[in-house]
Amino acid sequence: MKRLILFLAFVAPLLLSAQTNKRVFSPQKNVMLEFSLDAKGNPGYRVAFAGIFAIENSSLGFTTKETDLSGGFRFVSAAITSHDETWKPVMGEVDHIRDQHNELLVRLINKDEYRMDIRFRVFNDGVGFRYEFPKDEGHNTLTFTDEKTAFQMGGDHTAWWIPGDYNSNEHVYTTSKISEINTDPYNQAEVAISAQHIVDKTNVQTPLTMRMADGKHISIAEAALVDFAAMHLQADVKNLRFKAFLIPSPDPAVKSINTLPFHTPWRAILLSEDAAGILNSKLILNLNDPSKLDDVSWIHPTKYVGIWWEMHVGNGTWDYAGGQDMSSATGRAPHGKHSANTANTKKYIDFAAKYGFDGVLVEGWNTGWEDWFGKWKDEVFSFTTPYPDYDIDELTRYAKEKGVKIIMHHETSAAVPSYERQMDDAYAYMKKYNMDAVKTGYVGQIIPRGEWHDGQWMVNHYVRVADRTAKNHIMLDAHEPVRPSGLGRTYPNWVACEAARGNEFNAWSRGNPPEHETILPFNRLLGGPMDYTPGIFETRMSTYKADKTEVVHTTVAKQLALYVTMYSPLAMAADLPENYEKRLDVFQFIRDVPLDYSESRVINASIGDYITYARREKGKDNWYIGSITDENPRHFDVKLDFLKAGKTYEATIYADGPGAHWKDNPYPVSITKKTVRKGDTLALDLAAGGGCAIEIK
Amino acid sequence: MKRLILFLAFVAPLLLSAQTNKRVFSPQKNVMLEFSLDAKGNPGYRVAFAGIFAIENSSLGFTTKETDLSGGFRFVSAAITSHDETWKPVMGEVDHIRDQHNELLVRLINKDEYRMDIRFRVFNDGVGFRYEFPKDEGHNTLTFTDEKTAFQMGGDHTAWWIPGDYNSNEHVYTTSKISEINTDPYNQAEVAISAQHIVDKTNVQTPLTMRMADGKHISIAEAALVDFAAMHLQADVKNLRFKAFLIPSPDPAVKSINTLPFHTPWRAILLSEDAAGILNSKLILNLNDPSKLDDVSWIHPTKYVGIWWEMHVGNGTWDYAGGQDMSSATGRAPHGKHSANTANTKKYIDFAAKYGFDGVLVEGWNTGWEDWFGKWKDEVFSFTTPYPDYDIDELTRYAKEKGVKIIMHHETSAAVPSYERQMDDAYAYMKKYNMDAVKTGYVGQIIPRGEWHDGQWMVNHYVRVADRTAKNHIMLDAHEPVRPSGLGRTYPNWVACEAARGNEFNAWSRGNPPEHETILPFNRLLGGPMDYTPGIFETRMSTYKADKTEVVHTTVAKQLALYVTMYSPLAMAADLPENYEKRLDVFQFIRDVPLDYSESRVINASIGDYITYARREKGKDNWYIGSITDENPRHFDVKLDFLKAGKTYEATIYADGPGAHWKDNPYPVSITKKTVRKGDTLALDLAAGGGCAIEIK
């Protein structure tokens, strides 16, 4: 503490030209936020953390069509308040979360008499701030044309980033210095993904997590993204500075149009001494509003199987009439391979019932799949019309008899007004057929044409769906939306999103590199759970077609560990039933692993290298450990100091077997049982691209 | 006839290079359509009419992203069929319409094996043709990038045109030679209207009606505009040729995306020896599909008054909280002038009941008017939330007691997905409150941002609204849509549109020139009735505010005549009740004039100069004559040869009174009664900007 105070005394003279300075410290005083208004009325801020300036003097504000909100302000008032509260998530990695922060509310007014308040919240693990535009006479609308919020770094940190794609976040992460950010390679044909739109070579997405030279970590993120364009970051690679970049509307000059009163989403800066601190941070959830739902009794963890991977590997198709699989997305030769037929769905229901799964996802059940992909067509899908070989009445009866829920699938092909027109009918249809969870999809270019997945219009759509599904007591899992920003707190039925490169890329592309899953928890997962669809036992695609060369870039043991390291209350066992039935001993871990926890501990973590988590099952004394590595084999000694003293536990360890390697030998899993006590140490040996999953009961 | 045949023999050699020619004649053989496919497989056509080529050799086809549909075709087959049928419109200018034509269906296939059929229908009053794309294996989608259909004129005709504005048709018409078309003046600030988007100086809208040097008339139009971009015309002013111009999607390169099978709207060419023939043509209605509605018993003519003009003249406002009138559209000073309050609405209901009107339109009844105009904002209006001073329960009860229907108003501010999300609720709300007609509005730039009023997406929206209102037994009057194309035949509940410059422009702009209403029936009205809102008795805006200079550019007698010359089954008496009660003798004509006719006769007509109609009330022997002129006074002798022989009628003549003049002396109306018989001649004297309305019973 003394170090910080001294440091501030030293740098204070730099700010003498400021008209007004206001400082606020975190409860533990390890983080300091300073707001400044300079002589020209330009607002700025900086953030100190553990003796350094994590954010050096940086600008604040906006340009709008109505008025200039980046300068010319007069100071009106400032107020500091304290907040300390503990709240309980409906489901999650922990069963309670403490929201302790000090808040500075600065009120400004500009030359045109527009008011702008900035609300800063300073936590022990970072800072959040948002802009607020109160309602006053004469000013009703703001048309935002640019955001001036900057984030001046103090060094050339190591960053893990994906490009500032307006339409997708399904990219492989790049690790580079800030000064080396360059998104050009993502536009090469062999790498590019469908509908991507990457226009600036130094724009990257948030959350953007970085490691400083001394091992400290910082992440720039967004919380509570509602009624505004998503914030990406424009990197000034020379000056090591980021500037907020708002995804535009179809009019490139217009980023967001809002009615007053209005406040922006939160700009969040996570700060930590180490990588683990980023994983432990609940800052983004704390910046989101509490649940809007009175009744959450119907929301539950859901482990599921489904008609899905068989299409990705080419065994079946989504469409009924054509021959659409992932290798011939628009062919139309007759084939008889439609997966979502009644008999096949019953097979999955039987499997789910037999092994204790909650749900069966069925993709391709509804009309529209013949010609949807890449066409930018409107009115493609019906969400209330099954294909003729899908007997929904019989399947509803059958699933109910077996105690399994069918999970609805709504692929919109990004024709969003068409989906919105059908939404009420579609949700009523789900309720009629006893379904309580839906997976939505937004593959392709958006209709309204000219809109982007990350623009204001779509942001509002995603929230609208969360709201309407909540009203219908439907759990939501959105695929291809903007990356989440913690809204699962406000809409607890919004249990998961995809919004990143999922496991299916391993089935038909260059795949996900072994480090992929060691990066996602540090950025994508900060905003909420991901439906990553792990659990692939048959990792070689040549099994399905001899000429295929694609492989899943992990060992099978790592596929198990992912259930622990990538937390989600909605989790798929993605592989085919027949692949699981061949290895029921290994499959046992997927059956056992819980999806809701009382506490979670990061045992070790290094971005892009490895993560080890230990988590205690909600309300129980059972622990689950997941440990994963990148392409390098690793040895970890995990001390079981979290167990209860004086108690004996049985550990079941699912480790990479002899000679395991993600590429050459993915299958071996050695399963051992061991009696353990508090203080014992478990020695884990992870293969290249491997992992380890442990159940301790 | 002989003249045409000779003529064709003469020009035939010009076509020798063609691979294939197919000809089809109209039933009376006065019109000939010739299709040709040249040696390169380029399709073309020409149209002969009464001894000339009204359309000289012109190209056909499209460019698409998938394949070239403008050339490289092989001829497959051609078939000619005849058609003769008479059908009855639900309401209209006539009680039966004969659809007599010969059809040529040409089947083509291109080098990529895409099929394109062209269906030509040749009537005695013109030609219609459309492109059809059958469903076949392997081809599912067409992404249209340009239409190659051309219309080669044979001379530098006189054209009455408005600019090819993507967003609006509310322009004053220009009269010029084809060679002089230049839309630049419309982009001058003092003339430009809200949200207009005019990008090409030689683009004009359809219908485009022209007069040839010899007095023949031709109109290029569109029929049955469904699921496609509206067709404007790109004028090649040097070569006197028009090319179809499709309004783009937000991606300027994409005009329309369609799933096969698909057919385009009809391209229509109306041909006539004189101006009256254009007015008499039912070709556009004949090209539209028959009614989709089984039950039309609930559709009825509607004469109405409403809370509307008082806002236009500045006496009241749409919004409750602010001070929004037409002269301060975004002010917010408290004012207490909200027109749609309970007491004022009752006043209109009383007036309607007393004078026999069917409906009372109430604008400004619902929340959202505080800040809607020109902001391009989403989620502005609620269509189920009345303002606090509008007691909808009481007014519903009151209106029912008085035997009057309240007409719903849905101004969307062009935020269309927001309207679509509310549509079902909004129509259920209307039914709950006993309403059976809605006036929709699309003021401003479209949301989805980047879409245009005349683009495919919006075209589909307008039809969707017609369809959904029909299902709810609601009559539809769309304001600010694409200009109609005869779809009122297919959706008889779609009783009227605005889609042109209405009477309200006279209240707060340079207004409508005296010739305006003598032009509209020749182009805008070809596609269906217009809700022009005539009947303004107090034509001087200085009556309302001393410093106002705007005037309605007609005499009061002409305002009466408009009810006859501009046919609509939905017609407003637009002025304030107090203005009518001051002149109940003149008002009597508005009370008496019917909105549905058995027959209609054009007595005389010259575009931009004058129009005189005589119409017989449906199923009765009462005749109504309306005669209007432009800025020039005129004398007409109208021979009553349409009356029944041997019968005596009483004519009530509402003529311009002594010294009447639209500008200096608009008010005088002389009302005389006269006994008349078949063969009598009535001498009409129309003032400058004047008119005459006659009831013969």
Side-chain angles (χ1 to χ4, degrees):
Chain A
M1 192 69 305
K2 192 177 278 181
R3 195 163 62 124
L4 177 63
I5 302 296
L6 282 173
F7 179 73
L8 289 174
F10 173 73
V11 299
L14 293 175
L15 297 169
L16 277 185
S17 66
Q19 182 187 344
T20 310
N21 293 330
K22 298 291 164 188
R23 287 179 186 170
V24 59
F25 288 83
S26 65
Q28 289 177 2
K29 301 207 162 36
N30 60 327
V31 180
M32 189 278 295
L33 174 286
E34 183 177 64
F35 167 81
S36 62
L37 193 69
D38 73 13
K40 291 181 176 168
N42 298 317
Y45 78 109
R46 56 181 180 170
V47 177
F49 170 63
I52 60 157
F53 278 108
I55 305 281
E56 300 185 347
N57 285 334
S58 297
S59 59
L60 293 167
F62 297 89
T63 56
T64 76
K65 283 201 171 175
E66 291 78 12
T67 187
D68 178 22
L69 294 171
S70 67
F73 283 101
R74 303 191 311 275
F75 176 80
V76 176
S77 69
I80 292 177
T81 52
S82 290
H83 188 86
D84 190 357
E85 171 196 32
T86 297
W87 58 278
K88 291 175 186 290
V90 177
M91 302 181 292
E93 299 178 272
V94 294
D95 59 13
H96 65 277
I97 292 172
R98 185 174 181 184
D99 173 6
Q100 188 192 19
H101 66 259
N102 293 322
E103 178 176 292
L104 166 66
L105 178 61
V106 178
R107 296 189 186 278
L108 307 173
I109 193 163
N110 81 354
K111 59 181 166 36
D112 297 328
E113 301 298 307
Y114 275 83
R115 290 168 56 191
M116 180 170 87
D117 300 346
I118 312 178
R119 191 181 298 272
F120 297 95
R121 288 186 178 166
V122 185
F123 302 79
N124 297 322
D125 57 354
V127 171
F129 61 90
R130 73 181 186 191
Y131 302 89
E132 303 184 354
F133 304 96
K135 177 84 181 143
D136 56 16
E137 280 304 319
H139 300 145
N140 305 308
T141 304
L142 285 171
T143 306
F144 294 92
T145 52
D146 193 17
E147 176 164 348
K148 296 297 183 186
T149 306
F151 305 88
Q152 175 64 56
M153 298 295 108
D156 195 6
H157 308 330
T158 300
W160 286 263
W161 55 266
I162 52 175
D165 188 335
Y166 293 14
N167 267 342
S168 181
N169 18 51
E170 301 194 358
H171 295 286
V172 170
Y173 281 85
T174 295
T175 309
S176 83
K177 295 286 184 189
I178 297 170
S179 60
E180 294 161 350
I181 288 172
N182 174 7
T183 67
D184 282 348
Y186 287 87
N187 277 325
Q188 290 166 8
E190 66 276 20
V191 171
I193 61 174
S194 168
Q196 78 175 33
H197 187 79
I198 303 170
V199 290
D200 189 309
K201 67 189 289 179
T202 64
N203 276 21
V204 296
Q205 296 199 36
T206 57
L208 175 68
T209 303
M210 293 166 278
R211 186 174 61 213
M212 306 183 195
D214 67 355
K216 288 191 185 70
H217 284 64
I218 182 171
S219 184
I220 303 172
E222 183 166 32
L225 174 57
V226 176
D227 202 12
F228 209 61
M231 180 181 79
H232 291 193
L233 294 173
Q234 200 162 39
D236 177 343
V237 295
K238 280 195 183 150
N239 296 304
L240 309 178
R241 184 169 55 227
F242 298 100
K243 193 189 88 58
F245 177 86
L246 302 176
I247 298 302
S249 78
D251 178 347
V254 173
K255 304 310 193 304
S256 184
I257 304 180
N258 294 90
T259 299
L260 273 48
F262 170 72
H263 61 76
T264 68
W266 294 93
R267 280 69 189 94
I269 301 156
L270 280 60
L271 298 165
S272 168
E273 296 278 3
D274 56 17
I278 298 294
L279 298 182
N280 285 324
S281 176
K282 296 292 175 283
L283 188 145
I284 288 176
L285 285 178
N286 278 331
L287 288 172
N288 274 271
D289 287 340
S291 171
K292 291 198 171 196
L293 314 189
D294 296 326
D295 174 15
V296 294
S297 63
W298 51 276
I299 298 171
H300 55 82
T302 300
K303 206 181 291 175
Y304 72 104
V305 293
I307 296 178
W308 180 73
W309 187 252
E310 64 179 78
M311 286 87 98
H312 283 286
V313 302
N315 277 6
T317 70
W318 279 269
D319 66 329
Y320 173 73
Q324 181 195 61
D325 61 29
M326 289 309 295
S327 51
S328 65
T330 56
R332 290 188 61 80
H335 61 102
K337 293 205 302 177
H338 179 229
S339 291
N341 61 65
T342 306
N344 195 37
T345 306
K346 283 190 175 180
K347 190 184 90 175
Y348 277 84
I349 291 171
D350 289 340
F351 180 85
K354 185 172 179 184
Y355 296 107
F357 284 77
D358 307 286
V360 173
L361 169 72
V362 186
E363 297 203 0
W365 69 278
N366 62 325
T367 59
W369 293 90
E370 274 62 34
D371 196 44
W372 69 288
F373 187 80
K375 299 293 174 60
W376 218 9
K377 284 205 293 194
D378 211 349
E379 297 290 336
V380 170
F381 288 102
S382 165
F383 301 104
T384 51
T385 311
Y387 277 126
D389 60 346
Y390 186 79
D391 185 344
I392 192 164
D393 291 292
E394 166 60 11
L395 287 166
T396 303
R397 186 201 65 74
Y398 193 76
K400 197 164 188 178
E401 179 186 304
K402 295 276 183 172
V404 170
K405 290 249 185 199
I406 295 174
I407 297 176
M408 178 47 97
H409 184 233
H410 289 165
E411 173 56 52
T412 66
S413 66
V416 179
S418 171
Y419 184 49
E420 292 194 341
R421 284 191 290 271
Q422 295 184 66
M423 238 173 0
D424 288 340
D425 289 345
Y427 301 150
Y429 188 85
M430 283 181 61
K431 301 313 283 186
K432 177 183 171 192
Y433 288 109
N434 197 37
M435 295 183 236
D436 70 353
V438 62
K439 172 181 172 178
T440 59
Y442 299 95
V443 169
Q445 291 192 83
I446 298 289
I447 298 177
R449 296 188 184 104
E451 295 287 355
W452 309 104
H453 282 70
D454 284 10
Q456 180 192 19
W457 200 90
M458 283 302 296
V459 162
N460 282 334
H461 168 76
Y462 307 127
V463 174
R464 193 176 295 127
V465 172
D467 182 67
R468 290 241 190 159
T469 48
K471 290 196 169 92
N472 285 283
H473 286 201
I474 291 170
M475 295 184 286
L476 172 63
D477 169 25
H479 280 234
E480 300 92 22
V482 67
R483 79 286 178 275
S485 58
L487 285 167
R489 179 180 177 190
T490 310
Y491 299 96
N493 65 306
W494 197 351
V495 294
C497 286
E498 185 185 43
R501 192 176 178 94
N503 213 1
E504 73 273 18
F505 275 83
N506 287 309
W508 36 257
S509 76
R510 63 178 174 140
N512 305 335
E515 69 171 9
H516 188 59
E517 299 93 348
T518 71
I519 299 173
L520 287 170
F522 292 95
N523 31 55
R524 160 62 186 82
L525 266 61
L526 295 176
M530 176 173 176
D531 185 22
Y532 188 70
T533 60
I536 302 304
F537 283 13
E538 183 46 78
T539 63
R540 291 175 172 163
M541 296 308 109
S542 56
T543 311
Y544 302 102
K545 283 189 184 167
D547 61 344
K548 284 203 167 196
T549 56
E550 294 85 356
V551 299
V552 177
H553 295 60
T554 78
T555 66
V556 169
K558 183 172 173 180
Q559 288 288 316
L560 298 183
L562 292 176
Y563 287 91
V564 180
T565 60
M566 297 184 69
Y567 172 73
S568 176
L570 179 85
M572 188 177 204
D575 210 340
L576 309 183
E578 49 265 42
N579 292 330
Y580 290 135
E581 288 192 314
K582 283 179 199 155
R583 301 192 72 176
L584 287 174
D585 55 344
V586 179
F587 185 53
Q588 188 63 40
F589 183 80
I590 299 179
R591 297 178 62 191
D592 291 340
V593 66
L595 303 181
D596 197 10
Y597 297 98
S598 279
E599 53 181 311
S600 291
R601 296 184 182 211
V602 180
I603 305 296
N604 58 44
S606 175
I607 311 181
D609 299 330
Y610 55 85
I611 297 175
T612 306
Y613 260 109
R615 304 188 195 265
R616 182 163 65 81
E617 187 173 1
K618 195 162 199 171
K620 296 190 179 169
D621 195 26
N622 304 327
W623 286 83
Y624 292 81
I625 296 173
S627 185
I628 61 170
T629 179
D630 60 0
E631 67 282 5
N632 300 306
R634 297 186 196 269
H635 176 89
F636 295 128
D637 289 318
V638 176
K639 197 159 189 202
L640 306 178
D641 50 6
F642 42 79
L643 299 180
K644 272 193 187 162
K647 201 175 157 184
T648 302
Y649 297 81
E650 184 185 59
T652 308
I653 302 161
Y654 301 77
D656 286 318
H661 187 289
W662 69 268
K663 191 170 182 183
D664 305 320
N665 194 19
Y667 302 121
V669 178
S670 79
I671 306 174
T672 54
K673 287 184 189 285
K674 202 169 175 180
T675 300
V676 296
R677 287 181 193 77
K678 179 182 172 78
D680 287 357
T681 295
L682 287 178
L684 313 188
D685 279 294
L686 280 56
C692 184
I694 304 172
E695 178 182 56
I696 303 179
K697 297 184 90 156
Chain B
M1 191 71 302
K2 192 179 275 180
R3 192 161 66 122
L4 176 64
I5 303 295
L6 283 172
F7 180 71
L8 288 173
F10 172 72
V11 298
L14 292 175
L15 295 168
L16 278 185
S17 65
Q19 180 188 344
T20 310
N21 293 331
K22 298 290 165 189
R23 287 179 186 169
V24 59
F25 288 82
S26 64
Q28 290 177 3
K29 300 206 161 39
N30 59 327
V31 180
M32 188 280 295
L33 173 286
E34 182 177 64
F35 166 82
S36 61
L37 193 69
D38 74 11
K40 291 182 177 169
N42 299 317
Y45 77 108
R46 56 181 180 172
V47 177
F49 170 64
I52 60 156
F53 278 109
I55 305 281
E56 300 186 347
N57 285 335
S58 296
S59 59
L60 293 166
F62 297 89
T63 57
T64 77
K65 284 200 171 177
E66 292 78 12
T67 187
D68 179 22
L69 294 171
S70 67
F73 283 101
R74 303 192 310 274
F75 176 79
V76 176
S77 69
I80 292 177
T81 53
S82 290
H83 188 87
D84 191 358
E85 171 195 36
T86 297
W87 59 278
K88 290 175 186 293
V90 176
M91 302 180 291
E93 298 178 272
V94 295
D95 60 12
H96 65 276
I97 293 173
R98 185 174 182 185
D99 173 5
Q100 188 192 19
H101 65 260
N102 293 323
E103 178 177 293
L104 166 66
L105 177 62
V106 178
R107 297 189 187 276
L108 307 172
I109 193 162
N110 82 355
K111 60 181 164 35
D112 297 326
E113 301 298 308
Y114 276 82
R115 290 169 56 192
M116 181 170 86
D117 299 346
I118 311 177
R119 190 181 299 271
F120 297 93
R121 288 186 179 166
V122 185
F123 302 78
N124 297 323
D125 56 355
V127 171
F129 60 90
R130 73 181 186 192
Y131 301 89
E132 303 184 353
F133 305 96
K135 178 86 180 142
D136 56 16
E137 279 304 318
H139 300 145
N140 305 307
T141 304
L142 284 172
T143 306
F144 293 93
T145 52
D146 193 18
E147 176 164 349
K148 297 296 181 186
T149 307
F151 305 88
Q152 176 64 57
M153 299 295 108
D156 195 6
H157 308 329
T158 300
W160 287 264
W161 54 266
I162 53 173
D165 188 335
Y166 293 15
N167 268 342
S168 180
N169 18 49
E170 301 194 358
H171 295 285
V172 170
Y173 281 85
T174 295
T175 309
S176 83
K177 296 286 184 190
I178 297 170
S179 61
E180 294 162 350
I181 289 174
N182 174 8
T183 67
D184 283 348
Y186 288 86
N187 277 324
Q188 290 167 7
E190 66 276 18
V191 171
I193 61 173
S194 169
Q196 78 175 33
H197 187 79
I198 303 169
V199 291
D200 189 308
K201 68 188 289 178
T202 62
N203 275 22
V204 297
Q205 297 199 37
T206 56
L208 175 68
T209 304
M210 293 166 279
R211 185 175 60 214
M212 306 183 196
D214 67 354
K216 287 193 185 69
H217 284 64
I218 181 170
S219 184
I220 303 172
E222 183 166 30
L225 173 57
V226 175
D227 202 12
F228 209 61
M231 181 181 79
H232 291 193
L233 294 174
Q234 200 162 39
D236 176 342
V237 295
K238 279 195 184 148
N239 295 304
L240 309 179
R241 183 168 56 228
F242 298 99
K243 192 188 87 58
F245 178 86
L246 302 176
I247 298 302
S249 79
D251 177 348
V254 173
K255 304 310 194 304
S256 183
I257 305 181
N258 294 90
T259 299
L260 275 47
F262 170 73
H263 61 76
T264 67
W266 294 94
R267 281 70 188 94
I269 301 156
L270 280 61
L271 298 165
S272 168
E273 296 278 3
D274 56 18
I278 298 293
L279 298 182
N280 285 325
S281 175
K282 296 292 175 282
L283 187 145
I284 289 178
L285 284 177
N286 277 332
L287 288 171
N288 275 270
D289 286 342
S291 172
K292 291 198 172 198
L293 314 189
D294 296 327
D295 174 15
V296 294
S297 62
W298 51 276
I299 298 170
H300 55 83
T302 300
K303 207 182 292 178
Y304 71 104
V305 293
I307 296 178
W308 180 75
W309 186 251
E310 64 179 80
M311 288 87 98
H312 283 286
V313 301
N315 278 6
T317 71
W318 279 268
D319 65 330
Y320 173 72
Q324 180 197 60
D325 62 28
M326 289 310 294
S327 52
S328 66
T330 57
R332 291 188 61 79
H335 61 104
K337 293 204 302 177
H338 179 229
S339 292
N341 61 65
T342 306
N344 196 38
T345 307
K346 282 189 175 180
K347 190 184 92 177
Y348 277 84
I349 292 171
D350 289 341
F351 180 85
K354 184 171 179 185
Y355 297 107
F357 284 77
D358 307 286
V360 174
L361 169 72
V362 186
E363 296 204 0
W365 69 279
N366 62 325
T367 61
W369 293 90
E370 274 62 33
D371 196 44
W372 68 288
F373 187 79
K375 298 295 173 60
W376 217 9
K377 283 205 293 194
D378 211 350
E379 296 291 336
V380 170
F381 288 102
S382 166
F383 302 103
T384 52
T385 311
Y387 277 125
D389 60 345
Y390 187 78
D391 185 344
I392 191 165
D393 291 293
E394 167 60 11
L395 287 167
T396 303
R397 187 199 64 73
Y398 193 76
K400 197 164 187 176
E401 180 186 304
K402 295 277 184 172
V404 170
K405 290 249 184 198
I406 295 175
I407 297 176
M408 178 46 97
H409 184 233
H410 289 165
E411 174 54 52
T412 66
S413 66
V416 179
S418 171
Y419 184 48
E420 291 194 342
R421 284 191 290 272
Q422 296 183 66
M423 237 171 4
D424 287 341
D425 289 346
Y427 301 149
Y429 188 85
M430 282 181 62
K431 299 314 283 187
K432 176 182 170 190
Y433 288 108
N434 198 35
M435 294 183 237
D436 70 354
V438 63
K439 171 181 172 178
T440 59
Y442 300 94
V443 169
Q445 291 190 83
I446 297 290
I447 300 177
R449 295 188 184 105
E451 295 288 354
W452 309 103
H453 282 71
D454 284 11
Q456 181 193 19
W457 200 90
M458 284 303 296
V459 162
N460 282 334
H461 167 75
Y462 308 126
V463 175
R464 195 176 293 127
V465 172
D467 183 67
R468 290 240 191 162
T469 49
K471 290 196 168 92
N472 286 282
H473 285 201
I474 291 170
M475 295 184 285
L476 172 64
D477 169 26
H479 281 234
E480 299 90 23
V482 67
R483 80 286 178 277
S485 58
L487 285 167
R489 178 181 177 189
T490 310
Y491 299 97
N493 65 305
W494 196 350
V495 294
C497 285
E498 184 185 44
R501 192 176 179 94
N503 214 0
E504 73 274 19
F505 274 83
N506 286 310
W508 36 257
S509 76
R510 63 176 174 141
N512 304 336
E515 69 172 6
H516 188 58
E517 299 93 347
T518 70
I519 300 173
L520 287 170
F522 291 95
N523 31 54
R524 160 61 186 84
L525 267 60
L526 295 176
M530 177 172 177
D531 184 21
Y532 187 70
T533 61
I536 302 302
F537 282 14
E538 183 45 80
T539 64
R540 291 176 172 163
M541 297 307 110
S542 56
T543 312
Y544 302 103
K545 284 187 183 169
D547 61 344
K548 285 201 166 197
T549 56
E550 294 85 357
V551 299
V552 176
H553 294 60
T554 77
T555 65
V556 170
K558 182 172 173 181
Q559 288 289 316
L560 299 183
L562 292 177
Y563 288 90
V564 180
T565 60
M566 297 184 68
Y567 172 73
S568 176
L570 178 85
M572 189 176 203
D575 210 340
L576 309 183
E578 49 265 43
N579 291 331
Y580 290 136
E581 289 192 314
K582 284 178 200 155
R583 302 191 72 177
L584 288 174
D585 55 343
V586 179
F587 185 52
Q588 189 62 42
F589 183 80
I590 300 180
R591 296 177 63 190
D592 291 341
V593 67
L595 304 180
D596 196 10
Y597 296 98
S598 279
E599 55 181 309
S600 290
R601 298 183 182 212
V602 180
I603 305 294
N604 58 44
S606 174
I607 310 181
D609 299 330
Y610 54 85
I611 298 174
T612 306
Y613 260 110
R615 304 187 194 267
R616 181 165 65 82
E617 186 174 1
K618 196 164 197 169
K620 296 188 179 171
D621 194 27
N622 304 327
W623 286 83
Y624 293 82
I625 296 173
S627 184
I628 61 171
T629 178
D630 60 0
E631 67 282 2
N632 299 305
R634 297 185 195 271
H635 176 89
F636 296 126
D637 290 317
V638 176
K639 195 160 192 199
L640 306 179
D641 49 6
F642 43 80
L643 298 180
K644 273 193 187 162
K647 201 174 154 183
T648 302
Y649 298 80
E650 183 185 59
T652 308
I653 302 161
Y654 301 77
D656 287 317
H661 186 288
W662 69 269
K663 192 172 184 182
D664 305 320
N665 195 19
Y667 302 122
V669 178
S670 79
I671 306 174
T672 53
K673 289 185 189 283
K674 201 171 179 181
T675 300
V676 295
R677 288 181 193 78
K678 180 181 173 77
D680 286 358
T681 296
L682 286 178
L684 313 188
D685 278 294
L686 280 55
C692 184
I694 304 171
E695 179 183 56
I696 304 178
K697 298 185 87 154

